[in-house]
Amino acid sequence: MLDLFADEQPWQEPLAPGAVVLRRLAVAGAATLLHDIEAVAAISPFRHMVTPGGYTMSVAMTSCGGLGWTTDDRGYLYSPVDPVTHRPWPPIPEAFHALCHEAAIAAGYPDFQPDACLINRYAPGAKLSLHQDKDEPNLSAPIVSVSLGLPAIFQFGGLQRNDPLKRLMLEHGDVVVWGGESRLFYHGIQLLKPGQHPLTGEYRYNLTFRRASNSE
């Protein structure tokens, strides 16, 4: 595991066509990001969503931005209103926007303008099964995914669920960006192992930036 206080500068690791891992990019601003996560959750609390099939997700979630990701008995959808609070989702914090913009430029997507940010909280034993991010009407925009806190194994496959998987450890401050040819690649997070992180305790947090509206 990378030392939280080590001197390494951020670096890039190619992952697939259109996809890259930006190691340690979010380390310097992590404390601000975590403070902003708390502020968002104070307005729209974390919750364990129930899938249309009746499965309760092990990952706790909330959202910020003009649209938030949620579920109901019809499927997965983006909504401008939090179904728990019946109020608009909190706006995306400025520090979120700044990091997302920096990551998108570094990955070759300088025009990316997110309008949705999903915030996932993983406790030990939580996982995210292999899936595609395909609920967005405009698939030309990339996904920017930020890891904070405990390390986790990220799985990244191909366009078919049974395609071979790459497995890589994502550590505190790592950012993954994928789009273009890789935009609909299957991906997931393996079961989170117990641990303690200096900033997040027993949790891992993930910020996932998306373009969820029809507009460019």
Side-chain angles (χ1 to χ4, degrees), residues 129-148:
S129 300
L130 282 177
H131 66 283
Q132 296 171 295
D133 292 336
K134 59 182 181 180
D135 300 319
E136 301 76 33
N138 180 2
L139 296 177
S140 65
I143 302 292
V144 175
S145 178
V146 182
S147 294
L148 299 168

Side-chain angles (χ1 to χ4, degrees), residues 15-216:
L15 179 58
V20 65
V21 184
L22 306 171
R23 295 288 188 182
R24 299 181 61 82
L25 185 68
V27 167
T32 298
L33 298 174
L34 291 165
H35 176 271
D36 288 343
I37 289 172
E38 291 183 0
V40 169
I43 299 171
S44 285
F46 283 102
R47 75 290 307 263
H48 292 273
M49 296 185 186
V50 179
T51 69
Y55 169 73
T56 300
M57 298 178 67
S58 61
V59 176
M61 303 180 68
T62 185
S63 290
C64 57
L67 294 168
W69 187 85
T70 186
T71 67
D72 63 17
D73 55 6
R74 297 168 294 172
Y76 305 106
L77 68 151
Y78 286 96
S79 170
V81 175
D82 181 346
V84 171
T85 67
H86 306 290
R87 298 169 56 193
W89 299 97
I92 298 177
E94 181 55 40
F96 286 23
H97 270 301
L99 174 62
C100 180
H101 184 61
E102 181 181 5
I105 289 175
Y109 301 98
D111 298 325
F112 179 46
Q113 297 291 332
D115 57 8
C117 178
L118 285 62
I119 307 174
N120 294 343
R121 185 183 68 196
Y122 293 77
K127 64 179 182 178
L128 201 58
S129 300
L130 282 177
H131 66 283
Q132 296 171 295
D133 292 336
K134 59 182 181 180
D135 300 319
E136 301 76 33
N138 180 2
L139 296 177
S140 65
I143 302 292
V144 175
S145 178
V146 182
S147 294
L148 299 168
L150 291 180
I153 300 294
F154 179 62
Q155 302 178 110
F156 198 73
L159 290 173
Q160 305 299 321
R161 184 181 291 274
N162 59 354
D163 283 343
L165 292 173
K166 295 180 180 178
R167 294 178 175 87
L168 58 152
M169 180 72 78
L170 293 182
E171 313 223 48
H172 177 70
D174 289 343
V175 181
V176 185
V177 184
W178 65 95
E181 294 181 47
S182 301
R183 176 60 177 76
L184 287 176
F185 278 17
Y186 277 88
H187 57 280
I189 291 288
Q190 291 186 0
L191 188 138
L192 187 72
K193 294 182 178 180
Q196 283 289 322
H197 189 276
L199 295 181
T200 67
E202 66 175 354
Y203 295 113
R204 171 185 186 263
Y205 292 92
N206 172 248
L207 308 175
T208 302
F209 296 92
R210 304 176 181 178
R211 187 73 191 175
S213 65
N214 284 301
S215 60
E216 294 293 337

